[in-house]
């Protein structure tokens, strides 16, 4: 008697680190940014239309999908970031946490009137904000509030930068996670 070998593509529970494989879920999606930490096992991707996807290990909620503890094989959109019209512009996967920069737009009303007496449509304001999720030991998500210092953050939470960021037309454009 011998044992039957199951081909890898049929054994979906098997996961091999470091072996590139075609992911059919991205067959029609153009990827702009990829981030994966060498000591982690989750991946963050930003599509051409500014959607953040995550997949891989989710032990500490580092995928930002509201749950923890399972390995997610299929890329999932991190929906809380897009619910208010946010666009992911930069991301960083740490060993067990994630950081993402999100751009939002709104119009600020202008009190002055144009030369023809009609009110202005408003000035377009662009905001870049950073969000973190996953393991928060040593405050690596930047969540420094004395009220709540959670060990894990399962959904994206806005990071209070506690500094002024000069917006020269772009604001925060890159982020890294060590």
């Amino acid at each position: 008697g011998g044992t039957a070998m199951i081909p890898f593509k049929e054994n979906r529970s098997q996961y091999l680190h470091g072996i590139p494989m075609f992911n059919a879920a991205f067959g029609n999606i153009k990827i702009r940014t990829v981030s994966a930490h060498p000591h982690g096992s989750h991946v963050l991707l930003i599509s051409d239309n500014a959607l953040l996807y995550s997949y891989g290990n989710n032990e500490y909620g580092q995928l930002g999908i509201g749950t923890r503890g399972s390995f997610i094989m299929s890329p999932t959109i991190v929906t809380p970031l897009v619910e208010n019209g946010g666009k992911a512009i930069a991301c960083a996967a740490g060993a067990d946490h994630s950081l993402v920069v999100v751009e939002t737009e709104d119009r600020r009303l202008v009190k002055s009137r144009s030369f023809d007496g009609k009110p202005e449509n408003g000035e377009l304001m662009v905001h870049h904000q950073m969000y973190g999720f996953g393991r928060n030991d040593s405050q690596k998500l930047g969540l420094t509030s004395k009220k709540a210092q959670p060990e894990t953050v399962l959904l994206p939470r806005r990071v209070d930068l506690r500094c002024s960021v000069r917006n020269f037309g772009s604001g925060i454009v890159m982020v890294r996670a060590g």
Side-chain angles (χ1 to χ4, degrees), residues 67-110:
T67 62
R68 67 181 277 190
S70 58
F71 192 95
I72 308 294
M73 289 289 286
S74 179
T76 305
I77 296 175
V78 183
T79 54
L81 296 176
V82 298
E83 287 175 350
N84 295 319
K87 299 176 181 176
I89 59 172
C91 62
D96 49 20
H97 67 290
S98 301
L99 300 172
V100 61
V101 177
V102 176
E103 176 183 279
T104 56
E105 297 177 353
D106 64 356
R107 291 211 174 265
R108 185 176 71 171
L109 295 177
V110 178

Side-chain angles (χ1 to χ4, degrees), residues 31-37 42-47 50-55 62-63 78 81 87-94 97-103 129-133 172-178:
I31 299 300
R32 184 182 64 199
T33 303
V34 176
S35 180
H37 193 276
H42 74 289
V43 178
L44 301 175
L45 305 112
I46 298 177
S47 70
L51 294 174
L52 179 72
Y53 292 85
S54 63
Y55 68 95
Q62 61 264 48
L63 299 184
V78 183
L81 296 176
K87 299 176 181 176
I89 59 172
C91 62
H97 67 290
S98 301
L99 300 172
V100 61
V101 177
V102 176
E103 176 183 279
Q129 298 174 331
M130 190 164 68
Y131 288 80
F133 41 96
I172 306 166
V173 294
M174 287 184 9
V175 63
R176 295 289 182 254

Side-chain angles (χ1 to χ4, degrees), residues 159-170:
V159 175
D160 182 8
L161 296 177
R162 297 181 184 252
C163 66
S164 63
V165 177
R166 293 185 178 252
N167 189 347
F168 294 106
S170 57

Side-chain angles (χ1 to χ4, degrees), residues 118-164:
K118 295 179 182 174
E120 297 281 338
N121 286 337
E123 180 183 357
L124 181 64
M125 301 292 293
V126 176
H127 306 281
H128 289 194
Q129 298 174 331
M130 190 164 68
Y131 288 80
F133 41 96
R135 192 169 181 196
N136 190 39
D137 60 321
S138 304
Q139 298 178 341
K140 61 186 165 191
L141 294 180
L143 304 174
T144 58
S145 169
K146 292 181 180 176
K147 292 188 284 185
Q149 294 266 346
E151 166 109 8
T152 59
V153 176
L154 304 180
L155 290 169
R157 189 179 291 180
R158 191 172 64 82
V159 175
D160 182 8
L161 296 177
R162 297 181 184 252
C163 66
S164 63

